[in-house]
Amino acid sequence: MTTEGHDRTAGEGARTVTPVRAAQELELKRDEFRLAVQLGLVRTVPAGEGGRRRVERCELDRLRAAPDFPAGLRDRVRAVGTGEAAALLGITRSGSPDWSGRGTSARCGSP
């Protein structure tokens, strides 16, 4: 039986939600949620033969109970992007020359 993105998986007796619903409840954009699953930050379960994976209610409860939710989860997902990870580390591009500038000043390569 399905109601509002929830259902009971017959074999497990576990209450699950769709990935879209889980992303909403975790306050993540769809791409952020997808990456969180790939990184293992959000665990999913199979939804029967050939079905899309789903998220158990207890997994959502676990993530939402974290003291740094939702910012902490979002930060862990965003830290994977190189630009945002560099910003977290305080690394900026403004102080370093680009590759073409280094090659030109060293007179390396051909035009």
Side-chain angles (χ1 to χ4, degrees):
M1 180 166 112
T2 303
T3 49
E4 297 179 31
H6 298 82
D7 85 351
R8 288 205 174 266
T9 306
E12 300 167 10
R15 190 170 174 179
T16 62
V17 298
T18 64
V20 171
R21 177 67 179 235
Q24 291 171 346
E25 291 191 27
L26 295 174
E27 300 180 31
L28 296 173
K29 296 175 184 171
R30 287 184 185 183
D31 288 341
E32 291 172 334
F33 177 79
R34 202 171 302 130
L35 185 55
V37 170
Q38 290 173 348
L39 294 171
L41 299 173
V42 178
R43 296 179 291 226
T44 61
V45 295
E49 203 170 311
R52 291 183 168 213
R53 297 185 68 83
R54 296 176 66 90
V55 180
E56 289 182 317
R57 173 63 51 198
C58 62
E59 176 68 356
L60 296 176
D61 294 341
R62 178 187 72 85
L63 293 164
R64 291 171 41 173
D68 62 351
F69 177 81
L73 177 59
R74 194 174 303 119
D75 288 346
R76 286 188 293 280
V77 171
R78 288 183 179 163
V80 173
T82 55
E84 293 188 25
L88 286 173
L89 294 171
I91 300 169
T92 63
R93 293 184 60 159
S94 62
S96 62
D98 63 17
W99 283 101
S100 63
R102 281 191 239 169
T104 305
S105 63
R107 298 187 189 272
C108 299
S110 60

